[in-house]
Amino acid sequence: MKDEHLNEEHESDETLTNRQGHPVTDNQNVRTVGNRGPTTLENYDFLEKISHFDRERTPERVVHARGAGAHGYFESYGKIGNEPISNYTRAKVFTEVGKQTPVFVRFSTVVHGNHSPETLRDPRGFAVKFYTEDGNWDLVGNNLKVFFIRDPLKFPDMVHSFKPDPVTNIQDMERMFDFLCQTPESMHMVTFLFSPWGIPANFRHMQGSGVHAYKWVNKEGKAVLVKYHWEPVQGIKNLTQKDADHIQSTNFNHATQDLYEAIESGDYPEWELYVQIMEDGEHPELDFDPLDPTKLWYKEDVPWHKVGKMVLNQNPENYFSEVEQVAFGTGVLVDGLDFSDDKLLQGRTYSYSDTQRYRVGSNYLQLPINKPAKHVATNQSAGQMDYRQDYADHQNPHVNYEPSLIGGLKEAENPGKEYEPYVEGKLQREKISRENNFGQAGETYRRMKDWEREDLIDNLVIALGDCRKEIQDRMISMLTACDEDYGRRVSEGLATLTETNEKKMEDAVQESEQRSHPSDPY
């Protein structure tokens, strides 16, 4: 079909234009005085082209910069065991058997930059945007089911310690463990991260988790605690450090390439979504707080229930406009889903959407990749790049406030009874009462396979080998508190360590010069 807006005398569908729609007749030469220059100032095509080029990047994400993504759908099973899922939540994305909801998923590494190797030891982001009939729902998680900290106040310090040194711009394990050795709640995450679980083979063979406890709310306004788990139908596969080093030497984009090529070939990856449900409350019978994001709810204590599956079947048409500009936030919930009192979750809920407004812009939700798949009518307007079209059919365009008697927007009816938890307590700055920082870390160590434990010990020994003794001693003490065998093996490994990672890095610097080949100047 012909474009009605084409100038048919001079243009076709493939005619190159500038962004004003003007046909470009010479894209090889700028306008100059004579063919040697100088260049004239009225080169509009050149000025537009180079000025746009200078602005082609938004600020890089502080965390989760390197990413890959895909479109697909989520299909609900509509049940919890033999019960209707509506007994627990009124969220329509779950309540109808066989209901399919479009999704976009972004996988990522966390600490490293936008084009860093995908073989680096790092948690992986696993963020899913559901375009539901009630608006967007973002389930923003990681591949690992626990986290390093439980208080959001520590998040900037944690990330700073993991990032490169602000002077040398080199990542330094001593900086990282200087923070971790004074953060005992991190031992569970450390145990996962330095094992093969810290380097998933690729995105298709990777678990996902919401990490935090959330809440489901039913029509009667009753709530339960819930945790989310994505399990790959393809199976779970992880890499040892040796495997990862070998892959990185030939392809540092392997996970992105694997995902893209699988979808292109029709080998669509699938994940089944499981939930764990716990009665809302403090649960004093447990030796940990169920809201603690550094803890697991063990399957044998809190069963997993299969509630749906996700299939990724379409690659992005443009990486930047979709994978780079997609914006997620833990606060983006639909009716029937709610927050728990997890302090870290509540801190993330502010931070995640705030960073999108800074990074992409105040109108990021108008971009196609972020826009809800339903009608939007809001009094929020203006700001950079506002091209809103979200006006109600009978809305008075002169009224951008509420309430109004002269044609403004009206509040919606609540589809169910409001969830109204009772909360009381002193305002205070205090840790949770049931920290139990080492129990589950030790249990995770003991549940690992022999080869996983061996890789964990080797990786920790090498990483801690670059640290001063006081940091090593603190880490050994905490690992011993997790499991005596765990601490002993790391201690013995450090005592017999002959070559640290720092020494290997220094050798590589020297080797780059020694193995180089002289060239003549030209």
Side-chain angles (χ1 to χ4, degrees):
M1 181 181 293
K2 289 187 177 180
D3 189 331
E4 295 177 0
H5 302 290
L6 283 177
N7 181 342
E8 294 187 8
E9 185 178 351
H10 302 291
E11 296 182 50
S12 70
D13 289 342
E14 290 82 30
T15 297
L16 177 66
T17 72
N18 65 22
R19 294 179 69 85
Q20 301 285 6
H22 308 154
V24 175
T25 57
D26 189 340
N27 196 42
Q28 318 307 319
N29 305 288
V30 295
R31 203 173 190 189
T32 59
V33 179
N35 61 11
R36 296 182 65 241
T39 303
T40 59
L41 186 61
E42 78 276 10
N43 267 271
Y44 181 83
D45 286 353
F46 167 69
L47 294 178
E48 182 194 82
K49 186 177 183 180
I50 198 68
S51 297
H52 187 275
F53 175 78
D54 293 342
R55 294 163 175 81
E56 280 186 354
R57 293 293 175 268
T58 57
E60 182 176 290
R61 286 171 166 89
V62 178
V63 287
H64 299 277
R66 171 92 203 221
H71 297 268
Y73 65 88
F74 172 76
E75 182 176 321
S76 171
Y77 297 159
K79 293 182 179 296
I80 293 285
N82 294 320
E83 292 183 82
I85 205 168
S86 57
N87 289 351
Y88 298 93
T89 178
R90 61 181 186 243
K92 295 173 188 172
V93 67
F94 288 120
T95 53
E96 184 180 327
V97 177
K99 183 181 185 66
Q100 292 190 355
T101 300
V103 298
F104 184 82
V105 180
R106 188 177 188 272
F107 305 105
S108 57
T109 54
V110 175
V111 173
H112 305 282
N114 191 33
H115 210 54
S116 53
E118 294 180 313
T119 46
L120 296 177
R121 185 171 304 283
D122 203 3
R124 267 54 172 180
F126 195 122
V128 184
K129 185 178 292 291
F130 297 77
Y131 302 94
T132 84
E133 63 183 276
D134 288 328
N136 290 349
W137 169 36
D138 292 349
L139 180 53
V140 192
N142 289 331
N143 66 314
L144 300 175
K145 301 178 186 298
V146 296
F147 201 60
F148 295 98
I149 57 174
R150 60 172 73 95
D151 195 301
L153 194 61
K154 301 175 80 167
F155 189 79
D157 299 294
M158 181 200 79
V159 174
H160 286 170
S161 74
F162 292 2
K163 288 281 191 178
D165 184 302
V167 177
T168 65
N169 198 37
I170 298 171
Q171 191 179 30
D172 185 347
M173 287 293 104
E174 184 171 75
R175 286 167 36 84
M176 180 177 179
F177 281 103
D178 185 27
F179 176 86
L180 294 174
C181 78
Q182 300 175 82
T183 310
E185 67 266 32
S186 69
M187 291 304 102
H188 200 185
M189 183 65 161
V190 165
T191 301
F192 275 113
L193 182 63
F194 282 84
S195 78
W197 290 91
I199 312 180
N202 53 49
F203 299 133
R204 291 186 304 117
H205 292 93
M206 186 174 84
Q207 289 178 306
S209 170
V211 179
H212 302 281
Y214 288 84
K215 288 183 180 180
W216 275 1
V217 182
N218 66 14
K219 283 188 176 181
E220 287 73 46
K222 296 179 180 179
V224 292
L225 296 175
V226 62
K227 279 200 170 190
Y228 300 100
H229 306 279
W230 294 106
E231 292 296 300
V233 175
Q234 302 76 232
I236 303 167
K237 295 183 179 180
N238 298 315
L239 297 172
T240 65
Q241 186 63 59
K242 184 177 179 181
D243 295 332
D245 290 343
H246 173 72
I247 293 167
Q248 184 175 321
S249 68
T250 56
N251 186 349
F252 66 89
N253 306 291
H254 79 283
T256 294
Q257 183 175 342
D258 174 80
L259 178 67
Y260 183 87
E261 291 181 350
I263 294 174
E264 283 295 289
S265 68
D267 183 13
Y268 302 141
E270 298 184 19
W271 287 260
E272 288 196 297
L273 180 62
Y274 292 78
V275 298
Q276 292 175 286
I277 294 175
M278 189 183 291
E279 183 180 336
D280 190 13
E282 296 186 15
H283 289 273
E285 75 279 5
L286 300 175
D287 64 359
F288 66 95
D289 192 315
L291 302 185
D292 185 349
T294 72
K295 302 295 189 293
L296 297 170
W297 297 357
Y298 288 123
K299 289 181 182 181
E300 54 266 36
D301 300 324
V302 187
W304 284 30
H305 302 282
K306 193 184 300 184
V307 296
K309 72 173 181 178
M310 178 173 69
V311 179
L312 300 183
N313 57 10
Q314 180 186 336
N315 280 313
E317 293 183 2
N318 181 273
Y319 178 87
F320 183 84
S321 65
E322 297 171 66
V323 182
E324 187 64 20
Q325 291 195 131
V326 68
F328 298 92
T330 55
V332 184
L333 305 175
V334 293
D335 182 63
L337 311 178
D338 212 330
F339 309 100
S340 73
D341 296 334
D342 177 351
K343 290 185 275 189
L344 183 63
L345 171 61
Q346 295 181 354
R348 291 178 70 204
T349 293
Y350 168 75
S351 177
Y352 273 57
S353 292
D354 180 58
T355 197
Q356 307 304 346
R357 296 183 183 101
Y358 162 72
R359 191 180 66 85
V360 185
S362 58
N363 288 303
Y364 73 96
L365 289 171
Q366 294 181 10
L367 296 174
I369 192 65
N370 296 318
K371 189 175 181 179
K374 68 177 292 291
H375 176 64
V376 174
T378 175
N379 289 324
Q380 298 174 28
S381 63
Q384 285 188 322
M385 308 301 286
D386 179 17
Y387 67 99
R388 62 175 287 190
Q389 299 172 319
D390 49 355
Y391 296 97
D393 291 341
H394 304 294
Q395 182 181 0
N396 183 345
H398 299 283
V399 178
N400 61 349
Y401 52 86
E402 189 281 328
S404 168
L405 296 175
I406 55 175
L409 299 172
K410 308 297 182 185
E411 293 175 324
E413 291 185 17
N414 198 322
K417 186 177 179 181
E418 191 77 19
Y419 169 56
E420 298 178 336
Y422 179 76
V423 181
E424 69 172 358
K426 296 178 181 179
L427 286 175
Q428 55 192 161
R429 296 175 181 268
E430 195 171 290
K431 294 179 180 179
I432 61 175
S433 56
R434 285 173 287 167
E435 291 187 85
N436 194 358
N437 292 317
F438 308 121
Q440 285 200 5
E443 184 64 24
T444 291
Y445 173 79
R446 291 185 290 273
R447 291 188 183 197
M448 285 181 174
K449 297 175 182 177
D450 288 343
W451 70 273
E452 292 175 319
R453 278 195 294 268
E454 288 170 8
D455 195 55
L456 165 64
I457 299 299
D458 289 346
N459 295 328
L460 274 175
V461 167
I462 291 172
L464 286 167
D466 294 336
C467 302
R468 60 196 69 190
K469 190 173 186 303
E470 59 191 297
I471 294 175
Q472 293 177 348
D473 289 346
R474 276 178 174 261
M475 285 299 300
I476 290 169
S477 175
M478 288 195 293
L479 296 176
T480 302
C482 297
D483 184 276
E484 287 189 13
D485 180 69
Y486 192 2
R488 177 186 58 78
R489 290 176 67 178
V490 171
S491 178
E492 290 175 353
L494 286 168
T496 58
L497 184 65
T498 57
E499 186 178 39
T500 66
N501 195 52
E502 185 176 352
K503 177 65 165 56
K504 290 180 181 178
M505 292 171 65
E506 290 173 356
D507 289 347
V509 171
Q510 300 298 322
E511 198 172 344
S512 67
E513 184 172 352
Q514 294 166 2
R515 294 170 78 99
S516 61
H517 304 281
S519 299
D520 295 328
Y522 62 91

